[in-house]
Amino acid sequence: MDQNMNSTREGLISGSGAIQHKAYARVGLLGNPSDVYFGKTISFSLANFWASVTLEPSPHLIINPHPIHDLVQFDSLDHLVNRLQSEGYYGGVRLLMSICKLFHKHCKDNNINLSPGNFTLSYDTNIPRQAGLSGSSAIVCAALSCLLDFYKVRHLIKVEVRPNLILSAEKELGIVAGLQDRVAQVYGGLVHMDFSKENMDKLGHGIYTPMDISLLPPLHLIYAENPSDSGKVHSTIRQRWLNGDELVISSMKEVADIAAEGKSAILEKNYQKLAELMNRNFDLRRRMFGDECLGALNIEMVEVARRVGAASKFTGSGGAVVAFCPEGPLQVKRLEDECRKAGFSIQAIQVVPSCLNDVDLKTLSK
């Protein structure tokens, strides 16, 4: 490490005042997508992929475009069109702008004084696009951490509130999402989340309970190189839920109950039960959303794992799958072989430990 950089629990701060933070991809292990429907979930941060944001003091406030993800120079019209078809129209600049705006608004609304001074923000990410791994919110989360340290207000903005702030910055841009991803990325590690209506109405956020990551069995991530857009997969479910659709309401409650059961299974290291719950979680999602909405490629990722007897479900809304091989290494080998044949990437999952430092912990509700 550069001798001019000081390592801290929450990031890197250089002698020149530059601040750097990482936020990691998220895996929804159980209960998703009930977080948007006053449910419960269990999620964890994935060390395999991350986004990093660097803040450097500067005379003017500058948002630096990424040389790849915010490309504006092309070799030809074909190059531009192919690029848009594979990567979409948006990079990370709009995310950085939005969190700056919403951070400023939050501080103003809560009488948190911000000292004068400008900065330059830049970002990088290796989280696969549109893979249901919360790549957008990782950029926003890392940027928020930089702003908290630059303005020295980390102690004034509670940890429980930060996921709401991140989500509001994404909603500003029309991104379809729930709180669970942002909670996992703010907290790090493995977290059980209770988004009951009572908690949300009373507190404005859920009840978030960190769990020991060593309780998890070995898990694997399966993902496609060109998945569908996870933001489109929520489809008409929200409206059906609001309209009182009995199938959606009862299924969402059952999905939330899966997270509650999963918490007990993980604490007891009852991995056979965990496998059953993972499979049940996906089956309920499939029943609610339907195959056309989920997409053939996404369903095939789940089926590839199930063909070798592994438990599997979406990490988010599609694009990637979390798989568990209860029979051990030989089953993992069969899963790897099947994934290669199907053209999917597979990696052993590494879980990030808690991201919270002493200052963060003091802000938590007792």
Side-chain angles (χ1 to χ4, degrees):
M1 180 182 292
D2 189 319
Q3 63 182 0
N4 294 319
M5 298 290 284
N6 297 316
S7 177
T8 70
R9 181 65 173 165
E10 68 273 12
L12 292 171
I13 302 176
S14 76
S16 64
I19 300 166
Q20 185 181 80
H21 281 278
K22 280 184 177 180
Y24 294 86
R26 177 275 306 126
V27 169
L29 183 61
L30 292 172
N32 55 309
S34 75
D35 58 312
V36 192
Y37 305 93
F38 303 118
K40 298 181 179 72
T41 64
I42 298 176
S43 299
F44 60 82
S45 287
L46 179 70
N48 306 58
F49 300 109
W50 63 87
S52 64
V53 173
T54 302
L55 182 154
E56 299 177 86
S58 58
H60 301 283
L61 201 160
I62 301 169
I63 309 293
N64 274 338
H66 192 278
I68 296 173
H69 304 301
D70 297 290
L71 195 63
V72 292
Q73 180 175 321
F74 305 91
D75 297 333
S76 65
L77 185 58
D78 283 341
H79 181 203
L80 181 149
V81 171
N82 290 336
R83 169 75 185 184
L84 292 178
Q85 287 175 340
S86 63
E87 301 290 334
Y89 285 90
Y90 304 117
V93 166
R94 64 179 187 144
L95 299 168
L96 298 180
M97 287 184 173
S98 186
I99 188 58
C100 286
K101 176 186 174 183
L102 272 295
F103 170 78
H104 177 269
K105 181 181 185 300
H106 178 87
C107 291
K108 187 176 180 180
D109 291 347
N110 291 276
N111 298 312
I112 298 172
N113 294 320
L114 300 179
S115 56
N118 286 324
F119 53 83
T120 296
L121 278 180
S122 56
Y123 78 98
D124 198 6
T125 180
N126 65 1
I127 301 174
R129 286 179 63 90
Q130 300 179 352
L133 295 170
S134 298
S136 295
S137 58
I139 294 171
V140 180
C141 182
L144 175 60
S145 286
C146 289
L147 293 170
L148 293 174
D149 288 343
F150 178 73
Y151 287 105
K152 296 180 171 59
V153 294
R154 182 172 287 273
H155 62 297
L156 297 177
I157 300 181
K158 293 171 59 176
V159 169
E160 293 102 328
V161 171
R162 294 176 201 170
N164 297 58
L165 190 50
I166 294 166
L167 182 59
S168 66
E170 293 181 273
K171 283 187 173 180
E172 177 93 351
L173 301 171
I175 295 173
V176 177
L179 274 171
Q180 90 161 315
D181 306 1
R182 290 92 205 143
V183 174
Q185 289 167 327
V186 167
Y187 279 69
L190 175 68
V191 187
H192 177 272
M193 310 169 202
D194 183 344
F195 299 102
S196 72
K197 192 172 189 305
E198 180 185 358
N199 291 333
M200 296 300 292
D201 289 346
K202 181 180 177 181
L203 305 172
H205 56 75
I207 300 294
Y208 310 135
T209 308
M211 300 175 67
D212 185 350
I213 63 174
S214 69
L215 294 171
L216 287 175
L219 299 168
H220 285 78
L221 180 74
I222 302 169
Y223 61 99
E225 295 298 333
N226 295 296
S228 60
D229 185 351
S230 64
K232 296 176 182 175
V233 178
H234 288 287
S235 185
T236 61
I237 289 295
R238 179 73 181 173
Q239 193 56 51
R240 287 168 59 192
W241 183 79
L242 291 170
N243 291 344
D245 185 308
E246 290 186 12
L247 172 66
V248 174
I249 290 173
S250 63
S251 296
M252 281 299 176
K253 184 182 183 306
E254 194 172 345
V255 169
D257 290 343
I258 282 173
E261 290 184 61
K263 182 181 179 183
S264 298
I266 291 169
L267 290 172
E268 296 165 5
K269 293 190 175 181
N270 185 346
Y271 297 140
Q272 188 57 48
K273 180 68 172 177
L274 175 62
E276 293 169 6
L277 293 171
M278 288 173 65
N279 283 332
R280 180 65 177 151
N281 200 149
F282 176 76
D283 292 343
L284 285 166
R285 176 188 281 272
R286 190 173 187 177
R287 185 174 76 181
M288 283 187 285
F289 286 79
D291 287 7
E292 184 179 357
C293 185
L294 296 189
L297 186 70
N298 289 322
I299 293 170
E300 178 60 15
M301 279 188 282
V302 171
E303 296 296 345
V304 160
R306 291 190 174 185
R307 282 200 287 272
V308 301
S312 58
K313 63 177 293 296
F314 289 175
T315 60
S317 295
V321 161
V322 55
F324 169 44
C325 294
E327 295 170 21
L330 290 177
Q331 191 178 33
V332 171
K333 178 66 169 63
R334 294 199 303 274
L335 177 60
E336 290 171 343
D337 291 343
E338 287 296 320
C339 284
R340 272 192 290 271
K341 288 177 190 174
F344 298 135
S345 298
I346 180 169
Q347 292 188 20
I349 281 176
Q350 303 169 47
V351 183
V352 178
S354 173
C355 297
L356 303 180
N357 62 24
D358 291 341
V359 177
D360 296 323
L361 293 171
K362 287 177 183 176
T363 75
L364 289 170
S365 300
K366 303 300 181 186

